[in-house]
Every structure is written in C-alpha cells, then in structure tokens.
Amino acid sequence: MNARVDHLVIVADNLEQGAQWCEATLGAQPVTGGRHALMGTHNRLLAIGSERFPDSYLEIIAIDPEAPRLVHAVARTTLIEMVRWGLVNCGLNPGDLVAAQRDTPAGLLKWRITVRDDGAMACGGALPTLIEWQGAHPCQRLPPSTVALRALTLRGLPAQAVGVLKLPAVQSTGRVPREPALSATFDTSRGAVMLDAWT
C-alpha cells in the first residue's frame, strides 16, 4: 500500500461559519486545529476515522468567501517522494514537496506536502494532495466524534495513477460528465450525509 486517505477538506468563509455548518450538517462540533503560516489559513478538525478509513479527519479551513463545501482529499503516505515521482511518471503534476508545520494546543505538528505552483488541482480535483507526517498525526490528539467516513469516490484519475496511489477503500472511476470529481459519504448521528466536490 502506497497511500491512505488522510483527511477531507471543507472550505468556509470563516471558521465559525464552518463549525456551524458542521454541526448543522454532520451533527458534530469540530475542535480548534491551528494556523498554517505558509498558506495564510487556519482550521478546525473533526475525527472521521472508521474501519475502512482509519485515522482520517475532516479539516474545515477558512480560505474561500463562498459557503462551505467539499473541495479536495489529501492522501497520507510514508513514501511521499516515491509516490510523487510515480504520479509524475504517469504524466501528472502533483506539485513540489513543501515542508510545513503548525503549533497546536497539544504541541507542534510537522509534515511535508505536495503543493502546485499554480494552485490548480490535477484531474479535475480528483488527484489527492500527498502528505507525509513527521511525528505525531492530528488524529492522535482529536477527541472521538459521532461522524465516520463511510465511502469516498474519486472520478477522473487515470488507471496508472490509481495503481500508484493504491488507496484502500477508495472507489476510483473515470470522469463522467455532470458528476463530481469527489464524493464522500459520512455516517452521522443525523443519518448518512453525502458531499460532492464539483470543479
């Protein structure tokens, strides 16, 4: 296995709006994450790990003035350079590796992440960003929640890229017109909730 789903990203106009959306939609309140000095953003986090998607979380990030929406997935790997080059060899541009860190109430988190210079998301948004944690993972510090990621579908990844990523429990299909690049289904105290990422 080369990579796992690490977290899903929801953007909001501000963190209060994102937290209210999370409570209204998923029935759970996210906790304070921290600030990303490199990106000029801050976040709140919610554990969504399940048997199929262990140690995964939802990140609500304040960067976009529009209403909260699912925008992207991030895949965790301990082999970030190998997986990145595998994607490059498929003809994709996953971005360059950037070292980042942020302070949290529980201590410093450090990671390496792929970031494209142009900010674009490859494969219509279906290609996950890659992340490699150095030390503690945020899920080790998150309180349990009543929200669990049940299913994740990526649409539009080339078959060769699917083979490089080897994301367990993720369904990958070809891109179909009028279908989102990314769909996530959550089990919540309010029942199943499905979110789509349109590009």
Side-chain angles (χ1 to χ4, degrees):
M1 171 183 348
N2 288 342
R4 286 190 169 276
V5 172
D6 188 70
H7 63 284
L8 300 179
V9 182
I10 302 285
V11 295
D13 184 39
N14 58 61
L15 292 184
E16 293 71 29
Q17 177 198 40
Q20 290 171 1
W21 170 88
C22 190
E23 175 64 35
T25 305
L26 301 176
Q29 193 62 236
V31 299
T32 300
R35 297 193 175 280
H36 305 104
L38 177 69
M39 307 286 185
T41 60
H42 57 160
N43 65 10
R44 290 198 184 173
L45 308 174
L46 178 70
I48 58 170
S50 62
E51 187 175 325
R52 296 183 70 199
F53 299 96
D55 294 325
S56 59
Y57 64 97
L58 187 71
E59 177 183 34
I60 297 171
I61 192 164
I63 59 171
D64 193 319
E66 296 180 17
R69 67 188 190 281
L70 179 65
V71 294
H72 198 52
V74 179
R76 171 178 67 246
T77 179
T78 58
L79 305 166
I80 196 165
E81 291 172 15
M82 183 187 83
V83 176
R84 181 187 169 279
W85 279 110
L87 294 171
V88 168
N89 289 331
C90 294
L92 298 174
N93 176 5
D96 295 323
L97 285 175
V98 176
Q101 65 183 33
R102 67 178 163 86
D103 286 316
T104 72
L108 186 67
L109 291 174
K110 297 174 91 173
W111 64 93
R112 293 193 305 163
I113 190 166
T114 54
V115 178
R116 286 178 53 136
D117 289 339
D118 61 6
M121 293 186 284
C123 302
L127 181 68
T129 295
L130 301 176
I131 193 167
E132 181 179 72
W133 292 97
Q134 300 172 328
H137 186 275
C139 283
Q140 296 169 346
R141 301 170 180 174
L142 290 176
S145 80
T146 59
V147 181
L149 180 59
R150 179 198 307 171
L152 181 63
T153 301
L154 304 175
R155 294 179 189 87
L157 285 180
Q160 192 177 3
V162 172
V164 168
L165 291 169
K166 298 180 183 169
L167 291 165
V170 174
Q171 181 180 1
S172 295
T173 66
R175 190 70 187 264
V176 177
R178 298 189 193 109
E179 284 198 4
L182 172 71
S183 295
T185 303
F186 301 89
D187 290 322
T188 78
S189 60
R190 297 185 171 135
V193 174
M194 185 173 193
L195 302 177
D196 294 322
W198 296 89
T199 55

